[in-house]
Amino acid sequence: MPTARLTKRTVDALKPAASRFTVYDQELPGFAVRVFPSGAKSYVVEYRAGSGGRGSRNERLTLGPHGVLAPEEARRLAREKLTAARSGEDPAAKRRADREAPTLAAVSEQWLAEAVAPKLASGTAALYRIYLDKHITPALGTRKVGEVTFADVDRLHRRIGEGGHRITANRVLAALSSIYTFAIRRQILPRAFEVPTRHVERFGEEARERYLTTEELQRLGAVLREAETIGLAWSADPNKARSKHRAADENARTVYSPHVTAAVRLLLFTGCRLREILHLKWADVDFERGMLFLPTSKTGRRAVVLNAPALAILEGLPRASAYVVAGNDPAKPRADLAKPWAAFTRAAELDGLRLHDLRHSFASVGAGGGMGLPIIGRLLGHTQASTTQRYAHLHADPVKRASDRIGATIAAALEGTPSGDVVPIRHARRTA
């Protein structure tokens, strides 16, 4: 077993032979350099892994090639590995595990297939697919799942947010957090692993709450009636050439299918999400009990209580396919309501109103009518009470009544006209 004091001069002087050989350092036991027939030289460290009993074994760990690593740097690394081995660690086994560790892209696909697709609605799974394909996989997918750092995630989050997509940046961050939770739960990562999303500061979000007033509801109702009867006036795009055979703009009208207008009304009268109405089948409607039994929704299976106006809409709607809101293909649900909704809001002068705001309007009417937030949450299919809290400021609960009474007391005191409904302002007596 040849030995030498491994310095740059002695390692440079080693000549290759017909077969590879190893020269061990005279100062640090276990530290050595291997010389290959090609002339390449590589520093290694050898140690005994295990407790020293029957289960112990000899291990060799390559530190790096000569020329890239100087002998003193290689000796320092060897000393670190030997110290770790003496404390019970196995540096070679750890390196093998790191090499075999899956990439973030692989774990993300497993998460989507096993934790998302079977439990969440198809629309939610499709949204997560976009987050993976557009943001997470291109930026971090090739990295080992355990090697992604806080800086990597923070950089990705800031890049998306500073590009004008703050909400998307936060949703991507939430998806990454869920992926790492899944990896720890499936023991892909150790339980003590520091999740790199933990301390990333999220962008502030302003809740987009838009509620229809009574007057706006009246305008929308008038437009829906006009759309399904005489039709809405058609207006040409001024930037496009017009056919000389086309009727004048003021005479051209578009009549909309009763299924389209019924979909808008059902969104208002049930508070359902858009996909819940567009994917609703006649088999899901129980007229006898006045219920919708949705097999899939954002929060899983749920039942929706129908009020009288919603039942009347369903009873008067022609059955053109298996789906309540029939589209062009009777075998498939309608994809969206984007074009008709744009026409309705334009005609009703409701700029910026989203279809999802109809769900908010349903909830706001209930909250303003004094219905409890738990009841509103059940009507909307919320699984967490915190989701319904956005309507708390509309809720006519004892807090609002208390505020009204306090205001009346102060107003009466200011005006000097106390009434029987006013609680007199009492001052505590000072005691000596």
Side-chain angles (χ1 to χ4, degrees):
M1 185 176 69
T3 62
R5 185 177 181 278
L6 296 183
T7 64
K8 186 176 185 305
R9 178 178 293 178
T10 58
V11 173
D12 284 342
L14 294 173
K15 303 298 181 182
S19 60
R20 65 187 178 189
F21 63 93
T22 304
V23 178
Y24 291 87
D25 186 47
Q26 293 176 342
E27 294 183 357
L28 182 62
F31 176 47
V33 62
R34 305 187 81 193
V35 183
F36 297 86
S38 64
K41 300 165 186 177
S42 182
Y43 294 104
V44 297
V45 62
E46 296 178 354
Y47 62 94
R48 189 87 174 158
S51 59
R54 297 179 63 181
S56 60
R57 63 193 184 281
N58 292 324
E59 287 284 3
R60 176 186 288 137
L61 180 67
T62 301
L63 300 173
H66 174 63
V68 175
L69 276 182
E72 288 307 313
E73 177 65 13
R75 183 179 284 103
R76 184 187 65 79
L77 290 174
R79 188 173 285 110
E80 289 179 0
K81 303 302 181 184
L82 291 168
T83 301
R86 283 194 292 271
S87 65
E89 296 180 19
D90 189 344
K94 183 177 183 301
R95 177 176 291 181
R96 286 193 296 269
D98 289 342
R99 286 174 178 170
E100 296 169 1
T103 63
L104 177 59
V107 176
S108 298
E109 292 297 331
Q110 185 181 352
W111 165 77
L112 195 64
E114 298 178 12
V116 175
K119 299 178 182 179
L120 300 180
S122 59
T124 305
L127 189 60
Y128 282 133
R129 164 57 65 193
I130 293 172
Y131 293 156
L132 290 181
D133 292 347
K134 189 174 181 179
H135 300 291
I136 296 174
T137 301
L140 305 171
T142 59
R143 302 282 296 277
K144 299 292 186 182
V145 66
E147 295 177 355
V148 177
T149 65
F150 162 83
D152 296 327
V153 176
D154 186 56
R155 190 181 304 112
L156 173 62
H157 180 251
R158 282 189 289 106
R159 190 180 72 219
I160 300 171
E162 291 171 357
H165 305 285
R166 293 189 166 202
I167 294 177
T168 299
N170 288 348
R171 300 299 175 271
V172 168
L173 186 64
L176 271 170
S177 179
S178 181
I179 290 167
Y180 274 95
T181 300
F182 169 83
I184 293 172
R185 192 165 57 244
R186 293 299 174 89
Q187 298 182 346
I188 299 170
L189 292 171
R191 187 174 296 276
F193 181 80
E194 179 73 15
V195 175
T197 61
R198 175 175 289 181
H199 300 297
V200 178
E201 186 175 353
R202 286 162 172 75
F203 291 107
E205 296 182 24
E206 294 183 5
R208 295 181 62 182
E209 296 178 6
R210 172 80 155 82
Y211 312 117
L212 286 168
T213 64
T214 301
E215 191 270 336
E216 288 175 331
L217 281 169
Q218 290 172 348
R219 295 208 310 265
L220 179 59
V223 166
L224 293 176
R225 290 190 294 273
E226 184 179 356
E228 63 194 0
T229 53
I230 65 172
L232 298 181
W234 180 86
S235 58
D237 187 342
N239 297 319
K240 293 183 179 180
R242 290 182 54 200
S243 169
K244 63 181 180 180
H245 301 293
R246 186 183 297 165
D249 292 352
E250 59 270 17
N251 297 327
R253 305 184 77 86
T254 302
V255 177
Y256 290 87
S257 160
H259 292 92
V260 170
T261 53
V264 175
R265 290 189 176 102
L266 286 172
L267 290 171
L268 266 171
F269 285 121
T270 64
C272 286
R273 300 175 180 90
L274 177 60
R275 293 285 172 264
E276 293 172 346
I277 293 299
L278 293 185
H279 292 192
L280 179 67
K281 293 183 176 181
W282 287 111
D284 304 329
V285 183
D286 188 332
F287 285 100
E288 184 176 347
R289 287 184 283 181
M291 301 282 290
L292 301 179
F293 293 98
L294 305 179
T296 58
S297 71
K298 184 178 180 180
T299 53
R301 294 175 59 88
R302 79 180 184 98
V304 177
V305 179
L306 294 173
N307 47 41
L311 273 171
I313 292 168
L314 291 168
E315 289 171 350
L317 196 61
R319 301 195 181 194
S321 78
Y323 294 93
V324 172
V325 181
N328 295 328
D329 187 345
K332 296 180 180 179
R334 188 182 178 97
D336 58 51
L337 295 174
K339 288 185 178 179
W341 181 246
F344 298 161
T345 52
R346 183 169 58 248
E349 298 181 354
L350 296 171
D351 295 340
L353 184 70
R354 304 170 303 161
L355 277 164
H356 196 71
D357 294 328
L358 303 183
R359 177 173 165 87
H360 292 322
S361 297
F362 174 87
S364 70
V365 172
M371 300 176 190
L373 294 182
I375 294 296
I376 294 171
R378 289 188 62 184
L379 289 172
L380 295 176
H382 289 165
T383 57
Q384 297 181 0
S386 59
T387 310
T388 318
Q389 284 298 316
R390 67 171 65 186
Y391 307 109
H393 64 287
L394 301 171
H395 185 204
D397 59 2
V399 175
K400 186 176 185 303
R401 292 196 294 272
S403 177
D404 290 341
R405 194 172 186 190
I406 292 170
T409 300
I410 295 173
L414 287 173
E415 297 297 328
T417 56
S419 64
D421 294 332
V422 174
V423 178
I425 299 175
R426 299 180 181 275
H427 298 279
R429 292 182 180 179
R430 292 186 179 181
T431 57

